[in-house]
C-alpha cells in the first residue's frame, strides 16, 4: 500500500475507534467522568507540551552554543508538537499516542529510531534539486545570421 492510502485509512478508522471507545468508557464510568477525563488529558497535554517544548528548545540552544549538532532535538521538536496535537484532540487512542510522544524516554527512543533508520533525509527536497542539476550541460549559444 502507498503512504497516502495508509494515511487515508488511519484518518478514516481512528475517529470511529475513538467514538466507540468513548462510548464504552462512558457506559462504564458515566458521561460526566468521561468528559472530565477527556478535558483533563487535554489540559495535561497542553502543560506537557509547554514544559517539554521549552526543555527541548533549551537543550537545542545549549548544543548549538557548544558547537554540537542538535540532531535529537531537531527530531524531538516535531515529535513534541505531534504529541501535543494528539493530546488536544478528544479521545483515548490519540491521548495514548500523544503521551508516548511527550514522555522523554519514549520520545528519545522514537527519535533514535527515526535517526537510525534514516526515516528523514538530510537535505530534504533541496537535495533532489542538486542531483537533478548534474544532468545539465552548460555552454554558450551564438546565433549566426
Amino acid at each position: 500500500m502507498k503512504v497516502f492510502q495508509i494515511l487515508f485509512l488511519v484518518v478514516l478508522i481512528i475517529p470511529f475507534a475513538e467514538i466507540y471507545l468513548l462510548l464504552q468508557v462512558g457506559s462504564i464510568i458515566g458521561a460526566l467522568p468521561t468528559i472530565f477525563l477527556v478535558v483533563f488529558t487535554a489540559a495535561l497535554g497542553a502543560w506537557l507540551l509547554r514544559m517539554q517544548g521549552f526543555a527541548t528548545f533549551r537543550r537545542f540552544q545549549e548544543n548549538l552554543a557548544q558547537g554540537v549538532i542538535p540532531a535529537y532535538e531537531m527530531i524531538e521538536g516535531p515529535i513534541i508538537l505531534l504529541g501535543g496535537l494528539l493530546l488536544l484532540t478528544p479521545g483515548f487512542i490519540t491521548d495514548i499516542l500523544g503521551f508516548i510522544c511527550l514522555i522523554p524516554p519514549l520520545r528519545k527512543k522514537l527519535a533514535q529510531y527515526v535517526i537510525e533508520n534514516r526515516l528523514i533525509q538530510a537535505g530534504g527536497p533541496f537535495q533532489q534539486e542538486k542531483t537533478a542539476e548534474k544532468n545539465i550541460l552548460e555552454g554558450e549559444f551564438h546565433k549566426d545570421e
Side-chain angles (χ1 to χ4, degrees):
M1 289 180 89
K2 295 185 180 186
V3 174
F4 289 113
Q5 291 173 335
I6 293 171
L7 187 62
F8 178 73
L9 285 175
V10 167
V11 169
L12 187 66
I13 292 172
I14 291 291
F16 288 117
E18 291 283 14
I19 291 170
Y20 176 77
L21 191 58
L22 283 169
L23 289 173
Q24 293 299 315
V25 170
S27 68
I28 294 171
I29 66 172
L32 287 178
T34 303
I35 292 171
F36 174 75
L37 194 57
V38 169
V39 172
F40 175 73
T41 57
L44 182 63
W47 181 76
L48 278 173
L49 173 65
R50 183 173 181 231
M51 299 305 291
Q52 295 299 316
F54 282 137
T56 301
F57 186 67
R58 183 181 40 77
R59 284 193 324 270
F60 178 84
Q61 288 181 326
E62 288 172 359
N63 284 343
L64 281 179
Q66 294 173 359
V68 178
I69 297 174
Y72 279 103
E73 288 76 15
M74 289 191 299
I75 301 296
E76 285 182 357
I79 293 173
I80 290 171
L81 183 61
L82 177 66
L85 290 173
L86 287 171
L87 279 168
L88 291 175
T89 56
F92 296 117
I93 298 170
T94 54
D95 288 347
I96 291 169
L97 295 174
F99 280 122
I100 288 172
C101 292
L102 289 180
I103 296 173
L106 297 175
R107 184 179 64 242
K108 186 89 168 173
K109 291 282 188 190
L110 187 59
Q112 184 177 3
Y113 178 80
V114 168
I115 290 173
E116 286 177 357
N117 292 313
R118 298 180 183 185
L119 298 178
I120 297 176
Q121 290 181 354
F126 301 109
Q127 188 175 12
Q128 294 173 353
E129 290 177 9
K130 289 180 182 176
T131 58
E133 290 178 3
K134 291 181 182 178
N135 296 330
I136 296 174
L137 297 174
E138 291 190 26
E140 294 182 16
F141 175 75
H142 297 282
K143 185 175 181 181
D144 293 328
E145 292 184 33

